[in-house]
Amino acid sequence: MPYITINHLRVYYESHGEGETLILLHHGFGCTKMWSDIWPALVKAGYRVVLYDRRGYGRSEGGDQYLAFYVSDDFRPDSVRGLAELKAQLEIGPCHLVGQCEGGVVAADYAAKFPDQIRSLVTSSTQCFSHIPMTELNAMKFSKTFSELDPEMQKKFLDWHGEKNAEPLFDQFRLFGGAYGKDYFDLRNTLRSVLCPSLVIYPDRSFIFDVEQGWHSTGISSTGNSWCCPIAATTPTKNGPQNTSRPSSISTPD
């Protein structure tokens, strides 16, 4: 299995296909395995697809005191530095970024910081801002501990993160920390700095965020388009929606 070393920690990644590079960034509970039904279609469309487990997720090392790092103010900037180092080591120039939920925060942060390194940005089910602190929002949305999850969800999380890490990671992820933090979350200033063509994908129903979050994200960026997924949950499937609310400016390569 391919690994690179970033900041003395082993980071798992995969690279598939040839063409313009598209990097997939998983959500805040996930890892590269969540893209297994999606990346083959992107390769078929003519992209080189790179996916990786961010620090502490999936098969990537978290390091000592990872849970303390996860709730620290350094988590978001460190995620951007990690993406920049991954691109440097894999010799990836300007590319496309696709981020699911918290992965979209990392992608937007990177696009705002390194505008010349991004061809396009796609965020899917990424929160724009919160009306209440994230500790309160998470308490409302993620009331169950790992031991209280249904067996199928436990099985998925064990497969994604391993027997040693699955339960402690989930029980922290559900509380606060990560890219969304613990206080009021607001991505609007970051989105105003995104200059590349962008697409905001949002489900028309989600137990986590209202679809209006997607419209807010689109309205802030002068280069943004939106795509509302009808009868969809938080994570798009490999089949995708059949209709869009607005046309997208993002296209597959010729």
Side-chain angles (χ1 to χ4, degrees), residues 39-247:
W39 68 258
L42 297 171
V43 170
K44 187 176 181 180
Y47 290 101
R48 174 197 180 192
V49 179
V50 173
L51 46 157
Y52 71 107
D53 292 338
R54 297 194 300 279
R55 177 180 173 182
Y57 292 91
R59 285 166 278 189
S60 291
E61 294 178 339
D64 295 337
Q65 304 299 315
Y66 173 73
L67 293 182
F69 162 75
Y70 178 78
V71 300
S72 73
D73 291 337
D74 195 44
F75 185 90
R76 270 180 71 178
D78 184 83
S79 297
V80 173
R81 291 192 295 268
L83 174 55
E85 182 62 23
L86 174 98
K87 289 183 74 238
Q89 291 198 36
L90 299 184
E91 299 182 340
I92 298 172
C95 66
H96 306 275
L97 294 182
V98 177
Q100 168 68 18
C101 199
E102 288 194 38
V105 177
V106 179
D109 283 345
Y110 184 91
K113 187 175 179 64
F114 302 106
D116 62 328
Q117 289 297 306
I118 300 301
R119 297 183 185 276
S120 70
L121 169 69
V122 178
T123 62
S124 174
S125 299
T126 296
Q127 187 177 16
C128 184
F129 63 93
S130 67
H131 296 283
I132 58 177
M134 292 304 298
T135 49
E136 295 180 26
L137 181 63
N138 282 8
M140 293 167 52
K141 302 298 184 179
F142 303 105
S143 60
K144 293 183 179 180
T145 64
F146 182 84
S147 63
E148 296 169 327
L149 295 175
D150 66 76
E152 283 302 309
M153 184 60 71
Q154 288 182 346
K155 181 180 178 181
K156 175 181 286 188
F157 218 71
L158 285 165
D159 177 56
W160 283 359
H161 300 290
E163 292 188 11
K164 178 182 178 181
N165 295 324
E167 184 166 4
L169 287 182
F170 182 89
D171 286 342
Q172 179 59 61
F173 292 169
R174 63 179 281 272
L175 296 177
F176 62 87
Y180 288 136
K182 62 182 179 181
D183 299 314
Y184 287 89
F185 175 78
D186 199 334
L187 195 62
R188 287 174 289 190
N189 283 338
T190 297
L191 294 174
R192 292 186 182 99
S193 300
V194 173
L195 304 178
C196 64
S198 59
L199 173 64
V200 176
I201 302 175
Y202 237 84
D204 69 347
R205 64 209 67 192
S206 167
F207 85 97
I208 306 177
F209 308 131
D210 296 328
V211 68
E212 285 78 11
Q213 289 279 326
W215 301 137
H216 283 297
S217 295
T218 305
I220 291 169
S221 173
S222 61
T223 60
N225 285 279
S226 60
W227 184 7
C228 182
C229 305
I231 317 178
T234 302
T235 304
T237 66
K238 64 178 177 179
N239 295 321
Q242 298 303 310
N243 299 291
T244 62
S245 57
R246 301 184 198 175

